[in-house]
Amino acid sequence: MALIAPSCTGDSTKLQGRIEAAVGAGDKSISVPSADYCFGNRTFLIAGGNGIKIYSAGATLWFSDADGGVLLKNCIDVTFSGFVIDRYPPPFVQAIAINASGTDGSTLFDIPVGYPTQLAPWYSVGQAGDWQPLVYHYSSTLQPDGLPTLTGGCGAYIAGDGGNVHWLGPRRFVMRPGCPFAQNDSLVAIVWQGFSYTVANGSRVVTENISVHASGYMAVEEMDGAGGNVFRNVSVTPRNGRIISSTADGECLLVSVLVCLILRSDACLMLCSIPIIRCRSGTAY
């Protein structure tokens, strides 16, 4: 299905300025009205906060490309609550098979409006690995949760007008992927790019009631710092017809974690349900 661009009813530049002013003034709380805040390829930065609660009743923060995401840096006793995090366009290609694979293995695909047709690499490790997209095949057979079933990887790349891919138009191509597709099966191509939500060098930061719907890398990260951070009711789920939500792991918590949550993620680059059922300081299970 085609994706609809966000309405951008909120002013992301003013929101960033409000946060900086509140942190600088030592305010204890700031309420963010529910709206679509479009940051594009900019970071929503909360730096040096101490004892402040930033909360909303469902404001959506929209990002794109490598620099787009939420970063809480050098914060102590900060609460970030009630936000939705999404990306437009999504950080992956999603295409649907118009016909079943032919005798030569070729399949005709369409990319719905709103999805990218090219994926820019985050960094280069030569002409392999993350430099080129990883391609995955999803069957139209649905799982109990209503999402397509991951069938496997395909040895093909969506790049240029040669090799395994031949473009027939801006959003239509033929591919000989080396794995058979049935009609209405889906193809997803990803590269790792950027971040989504990161707590860096923080202490006792509370992240709660957060929904991440698209991430170009780790969906939720905790990096360095004294720890004691809490992640409560944090979900990573696809929406609006998208098959995946994160191109990498759903979560990466490296310091102390005092939390128990259920996380819907795309760990190991595939769609799966992962219940995190036991947690203790230092490790999330």
Side-chain angles (χ1 to χ4, degrees):
M1 60 182 294
L3 300 179
I4 299 175
S7 60
C8 303
T9 52
D11 190 321
S12 59
T13 300
K14 287 184 178 179
L15 176 57
Q16 180 68 71
R18 284 187 63 202
I19 296 297
E20 293 173 0
V23 170
D27 293 347
K28 296 305 178 183
S29 69
I30 179 170
S31 175
V32 178
S34 181
D36 284 348
Y37 297 89
C38 298
F39 285 84
N41 191 28
R42 294 180 292 128
T43 300
F44 181 30
L45 178 63
I46 303 166
N50 193 329
I52 186 172
K53 180 177 183 179
I54 302 166
Y55 64 97
S56 179
T60 301
L61 310 174
W62 290 92
F63 301 98
S64 65
D65 301 313
D67 292 332
V70 180
L71 174 60
L72 281 74
K73 183 178 181 181
N74 299 328
C75 291
I76 301 173
D77 292 320
V78 168
T79 296
F80 190 79
S81 176
F83 290 88
V84 176
I85 299 172
D86 211 335
R87 303 179 81 84
Y88 185 88
F92 55 87
V93 174
Q94 183 172 311
I96 187 168
I98 302 304
N99 62 352
S101 296
T103 56
D104 62 350
S106 64
T107 310
L108 179 65
F109 290 93
D110 274 352
I111 301 175
V113 172
Y115 290 94
T117 58
Q118 299 289 329
L119 295 173
W122 184 19
Y123 57 88
S124 170
V125 291
Q127 295 301 312
D130 294 326
W131 179 252
Q132 293 178 301
L134 299 172
V135 179
Y136 291 90
H137 174 197
Y138 287 84
S139 167
S140 58
T141 302
L142 300 182
Q143 301 177 97
D145 60 7
L147 291 172
T149 302
L150 177 65
T151 300
C154 300
Y157 299 111
I158 301 179
D161 189 23
N164 290 323
V165 173
H166 178 66
W167 289 91
L168 303 179
R171 293 191 168 272
R172 174 166 289 190
F173 62 92
V174 172
M175 189 173 74
R176 296 179 177 85
C179 56
F181 281 79
Q183 187 173 1
N184 296 323
D185 284 359
S186 295
L187 174 152
V188 174
I190 66 170
V191 294
W192 289 352
Q193 184 191 82
F195 68 105
S196 177
Y197 180 86
T198 300
V199 176
N201 299 309
S203 175
R204 301 186 301 277
V205 173
V206 175
T207 301
E208 63 180 7
N209 303 325
I210 302 296
S211 297
V212 179
H213 293 303
S215 175
Y217 191 51
M218 303 287 187
V220 179
E221 296 178 284
E222 179 189 26
M223 310 295 290
D224 303 320
N229 303 309
V230 174
F231 296 81
R232 181 187 301 118
N233 192 29
V234 177
S235 66
V236 184
T237 57
R239 68 171 178 173
N240 298 336
R242 293 173 295 195
I243 294 176
I244 69 170
S245 52
S246 172
T247 63
D249 297 341
E251 53 86 22
C252 180
L253 307 176
L254 299 182
V255 195
S256 61
V257 182
L258 303 175
V259 56
C260 287
L261 71 159
I262 301 297
L263 180 66
R264 169 78 183 190
S265 69
D266 309 320
C268 301
L269 310 180
M270 63 184 67
L271 191 64
C272 52
S273 296
I274 301 180
I276 300 181
I277 57 175
R278 291 190 297 128
C279 304
R280 66 184 183 188
S281 179
T283 307
Y285 294 87

